[in-house]
Amino acid sequence: MASKLLRAVVLGPPGSGKGTVCERIARSFGLQHLSSGQFLRESLGGGGEAGALAQQYLERGLLVPDHVITRVMMTELEKRREQHWLLDGFPRTLGQAKALDGICELDLVISLNIPFETLKDRLSARWVHPASGRVYNMDFNPPQVQGVDDLTGEPLVQREDDRPEAVAARLRKYKDAAKPVIELYKSRGILHSFSGTETNKIWPYVYTLLSSRIPPIHPEEEY
């Protein structure tokens, strides 16, 4: 492994494939894939203060606010001060980016730019397994049996904000919040943007970028 710890972030709107890109980076380079969604789910059952706060919002059908997600993430990152990691789904706002500055210096920020129509199509075809966060796409990554999770056999659901009528507003909201975050990292010279409609076509460029920073442990050809 490289002697210096690598701290990276993958930014991208809902449906951009950032979870897939993060999983590939984690496998290829041995970085820990830290997902804000996963930590939030784990915090709900963990008995901690941040988890209890998040639960109050979710039970009322509200979005978990910035400061609660920031608290969950800071707690997790503090435990990983001596590890290489890759953040997925955080920071989403300037406030979160500034909180992150307080505990570490990022080396690399990858931004995925996917056309609006592609995102709309992907999100409208997306179904999830609520308990695990596993995501299926009915067009290119369907479950083995329609409507049920491959591992548990439990039913899949379509999130309210993945329904076609909600997608446009959700993407606009993401763009407004992410713009200052992207500008911040661009001004620091650590932002690398990748554009396209297919993760498999973007991936070789992401792999090449990471290879210049940290030795791969698995070859690109695996994908």
Side-chain angles (χ1 to χ4, degrees):
M1 295 290 270
S3 55
K4 182 183 183 301
L5 290 174
L6 186 79
R7 305 303 182 47
V9 166
V10 177
L11 301 176
S16 61
K18 65 180 179 297
T20 302
V21 168
C22 286
E23 283 167 14
R24 290 184 181 186
I25 292 173
R27 282 204 300 270
S28 296
F29 296 93
L31 301 185
Q32 272 203 81
H33 174 193
L34 308 181
S35 159
S36 60
Q38 184 64 30
F39 285 143
L40 195 57
R41 281 188 291 276
E42 288 171 2
S43 76
L44 297 179
E49 190 184 343
L53 263 175
Q55 184 82 47
Q56 288 174 22
Y57 287 94
L58 292 171
E59 281 173 352
R60 285 150 53 202
L62 301 172
L63 282 175
V64 180
D66 225 31
H67 68 92
V68 178
I69 292 175
T70 300
R71 203 134 136 213
V72 169
M73 294 305 291
M74 294 301 108
T75 302
E76 294 298 333
L77 293 174
E78 283 288 351
K79 299 174 190 170
R80 295 168 171 80
R81 282 189 173 271
E82 301 305 316
Q83 297 168 5
H84 297 279
W85 48 245
L86 175 70
L87 278 179
D88 166 9
F90 186 92
R92 292 186 186 195
T93 65
L94 197 53
Q96 290 177 348
K98 290 184 173 172
L100 188 55
D101 281 346
I103 65 162
C104 74
E105 186 178 335
L106 291 176
D107 302 292
L108 198 61
V109 177
I110 291 165
S111 177
L112 302 176
N113 298 324
I114 314 296
F116 175 78
E117 285 303 318
T118 303
L119 293 172
K120 204 167 73 172
D121 291 346
R122 283 183 186 177
L123 290 171
S124 301
R126 188 159 85 160
W127 290 70
V128 299
H129 177 240
S132 68
R134 273 186 292 280
V135 176
Y136 297 87
N137 185 290
M138 295 307 160
D139 295 332
F140 56 83
N141 175 35
Q144 290 165 12
V145 178
Q146 188 166 359
V148 298
D149 177 52
D150 288 349
L151 298 187
T152 64
E154 293 169 353
L156 302 176
V157 301
Q158 186 171 46
R159 288 170 35 167
E160 289 289 334
D161 55 3
D162 281 343
R163 293 184 179 173
E165 59 277 12
V167 164
R170 185 177 172 200
L171 292 174
R172 269 197 306 277
K173 189 174 179 184
Y174 168 83
K175 192 175 176 183
D176 291 345
K179 191 177 177 186
V181 179
I182 289 167
E183 290 301 322
L184 174 71
Y185 293 138
K186 191 175 178 181
S187 72
R188 292 181 184 173
I190 58 172
L191 183 80
H192 300 265
S193 294
F194 298 91
S195 301
T197 57
E198 294 176 45
T199 301
N200 285 343
K201 289 185 178 174
I202 293 172
W203 170 245
Y205 299 99
V206 174
Y207 184 93
T208 300
L209 171 67
L210 265 294
S211 298
S212 69
R213 306 298 179 95
I214 185 170
I217 57 173
H218 291 297
E220 179 194 346
E221 287 69 29
E222 284 197 358
Y223 306 101

